[in-house]
Amino acid sequence: MSNNGEREQWGSRIGFILAAAGSAVGLGNIWRFPYITGQYGGAAFVFLYVALVFVIGFSVMLAEIAIGRRAQLNAVGSFKKLKGGAWPLVGWMGVAAGFIILSYYAVIGGWTIKYFIITWTGLMEAGAAGKAGDVFGGFVTNTPQVILYQAIFMLATIWVVYRGIGEGIEKYCKILMPALFGILLILIVRSVTLEGAGKGLEFYLKPDFSKITGDTFLAALGQAFFSLSLGMGCMITYGSYLTKDTTIPSAVGQICFLDTMVALLAGLVIFPAVFAFGVEAGAGPGLTFVTLPSVFSQMPGGPIWSSLFFLLLFIAALTSAISLLEVVSAYFIDEMGWGRPKAAWLMGLAIFILGIPSSISLAGNLKIAGKDFLDAADFLASNVLLPLGGMLIALFVGWVWTESARKEVSNDGTYEFGLMDAWIWVCRTIAPLAIAVIFWKGLKW
């Protein structure tokens, strides 16, 4: 809250859109989207992904932001105010998911800082010698170093949230998001002008619909849901700071567009480069920290392109981390009456402490049911809490809070949303069923 006790609000529509897009844009857009696209056949997967973002993703995001703006409270408080009963449990799942996800997300965010630095101190040489994997393995098993960079990343996240909505999240996202797009465009120019880049562009942009299978559809559905920060209370919380005169559907459309654009542009960076140097396009998560350093090492001016890429990853990780900490902090500000500084610093510290086992587990020293602690935390949050949260939010709007949702989205009758009936229908049927499939598929331990 602000010092006079009034709820903070976004200073401008563009500030909200950039902050919400920053929440949605994360490591999943830049490191997961390209390798998943590579594994599932290229352009045909991209086509499916975009379609699902604007059907399932748009509908659930619109539901979340409408809930938040109507209640003007955090994720738990919103459900308490709007319906009560057992529904606040949905908000609790969002707060818990934000807490857990940020604990290990900060660990990976720390990797981006480390790699930005070592780009200039030996990474390129190791990549040229085929030893980028040794560099990565040596770093992630050096627990004190991993914790150090995790702490640096968390401090940056806490600082922005501590500063508040206008002077913190909005201000920094107005700087970070344009910087992210600028870096992407610079890297695209470098990538598409490499000799042999044309094969990568053809793979990425020329669809072969014969490659679409049930697995392709499921992968595209999962990527569309997870890439938009849905089911974790981020959009409910950000929506609670939104002014009543904002037209939510157009804002959500712009957020989905920006998020999708980042993913698509990341593909234009990666596919021309990996094809130009004969690298496997579906190389998995190692594509980012093992394969790409080897690719950059073969480019003229390799350290420049490598450092820009890892700066890009850092920005994407930070804008998402900010929203995750805000979900947790907003609960303690609204429900417990804490001041913003206390909430940001204490919750940031608690999340950092929870993240230490994830840092330790990378050296193979801490496992749960055969999984590294980090992977186990990711399983709980991403495979259980997020799909359940997203499914219940869609059902809440589609079946329980329907008429009030219509009023909120239409700005109490002053704005005509032409797809209102279709949106309600998607929330009632298609979105819950689709997310249930994601949930069922993800439960395999």
Side-chain angles (χ1 to χ4, degrees):
M1 290 188 176
S2 61
N3 291 334
N4 60 11
E6 294 180 1
R7 188 169 190 79
E8 296 175 88
Q9 290 188 326
W10 301 109
S12 63
R13 174 188 169 89
I14 188 63
F16 162 68
I17 290 170
L18 288 176
S23 171
V25 170
L27 294 173
N29 296 70
I30 297 171
W31 83 350
R32 190 175 189 274
F33 177 78
Y35 82 73
I36 291 291
T37 301
Q39 288 175 347
Y40 289 95
F45 172 86
V46 173
F47 177 84
L48 265 181
Y49 164 74
V50 172
L52 289 167
V53 162
F54 283 95
V55 177
I56 307 299
F58 175 92
S59 297
V60 179
M61 184 180 291
L62 182 56
E64 290 200 26
I65 292 176
I67 288 168
R69 189 176 73 169
R70 174 64 77 170
Q72 296 284 290
L73 287 168
N74 63 90
V76 177
S78 289
F79 284 101
K80 276 185 185 177
K81 181 176 180 179
L82 299 181
K83 193 60 183 177
W87 285 104
L89 289 173
V90 180
W92 273 111
M93 285 193 291
V95 173
F99 198 97
I100 294 167
I101 293 171
L102 184 52
S103 73
Y104 64 82
Y105 202 81
V107 176
I108 302 170
W111 298 358
T112 67
I113 301 172
K114 170 70 174 181
Y115 266 66
F116 175 79
I117 294 170
I118 64 172
T119 283
W120 300 95
T121 59
L123 180 61
M124 294 297 93
E125 291 80 357
K131 295 182 178 179
D134 294 340
V135 172
F136 182 68
F139 167 58
V140 298
T141 55
N142 186 335
T143 300
Q145 263 203 44
V146 175
I147 293 174
L148 171 64
Y149 286 102
Q150 172 199 355
I152 294 170
F153 184 86
M154 274 305 303
L155 283 172
T157 304
I158 293 167
W159 171 254
V160 175
V161 173
Y162 155 77
R163 296 284 296 165
I165 298 302
E167 289 300 309
I169 299 173
E170 181 172 355
K171 177 180 177 180
Y172 285 98
C173 284
K174 280 183 174 179
I175 298 168
L176 293 170
M177 289 304 291
L180 183 145
F181 276 98
I183 294 169
L184 269 174
L185 292 175
I186 293 169
L187 288 170
I188 287 170
V189 171
R190 170 66 278 193
S191 188
V192 300
T193 54
L194 291 168
E195 185 177 347
K199 292 181 180 179
L201 289 172
E202 182 178 353
F203 173 83
Y204 187 49
L205 300 177
K206 185 178 179 181
D208 179 359
F209 293 108
S210 67
K211 294 183 177 181
I212 294 181
T213 64
D215 286 342
T216 307
F217 181 83
L218 287 175
L221 179 61
Q223 181 66 20
F225 178 79
F226 291 118
S227 72
L228 289 170
S229 291
L230 301 175
M232 62 181 78
C234 290
M235 295 303 163
I236 293 176
T237 304
Y238 275 15
S240 75
Y241 304 121
L242 195 57
T243 58
K244 290 293 185 180
D245 58 351
T246 302
T247 53
I248 304 178
S250 62
V252 171
Q254 291 167 355
I255 294 163
C256 289
F257 174 78
L258 288 175
D259 177 76
T260 305
M261 280 300 297
V262 171
L264 297 178
L265 292 175
L268 288 176
V269 172
I270 289 170
F271 287 111
V274 297
F275 271 81
F277 291 101
V279 175
E280 171 58 45
L287 180 69
T288 303
F289 293 100
V290 178
T291 306
L292 285 178
S294 299
V295 170
F296 290 131
S297 71
Q298 299 176 63
M299 293 183 186
I304 296 172
W305 311 116
S306 179
S307 62
L308 280 174
F309 178 76
F310 288 109
L311 178 60
L312 172 72
L313 279 183
F314 168 74
I315 292 172
L318 182 61
T319 53
S320 291
I322 289 165
S323 69
L324 291 167
L325 181 56
E326 180 61 24
V327 169
V328 179
S329 298
Y331 168 78
F332 285 92
I333 293 169
D334 290 345
E335 304 299 311
M336 308 297 290
W338 289 12
R340 176 168 288 276
K342 179 180 178 180
W345 285 104
L346 282 185
M347 287 302 100
L349 177 61
I351 289 167
F352 167 72
I353 292 170
L354 179 62
I356 291 175
S358 291
S359 293
I360 294 171
S361 72
L362 297 170
N365 298 327
L366 187 58
K367 293 183 180 291
I368 297 177
K371 282 183 176 286
D372 291 339
F373 189 93
L374 189 153
D375 292 334
D378 180 50
F379 179 90
L380 174 60
S382 299
N383 295 33
V384 179
L385 295 176
L386 296 193
L388 278 178
M391 182 168 54
L392 291 169
I393 286 166
L395 290 170
F396 179 73
V397 166
W399 294 99
V400 178
W401 191 63
T402 310
E403 292 310 310
S404 295
R406 288 178 182 271
K407 290 178 183 177
E408 188 62 28
V409 168
S410 65
N411 287 6
D412 290 322
T414 62
Y415 167 74
E416 185 176 348
F417 177 40
L419 297 174
M420 183 76 78
D421 290 338
W423 171 57
I424 294 295
W425 181 70
V426 170
C427 286
R428 282 183 173 175
T429 56
I430 294 178
L433 288 172
I435 299 169
V437 170
I438 296 172
F439 179 62
W440 171 78
K441 183 174 181 284
L443 282 182
K444 184 178 179 181
W445 180 263

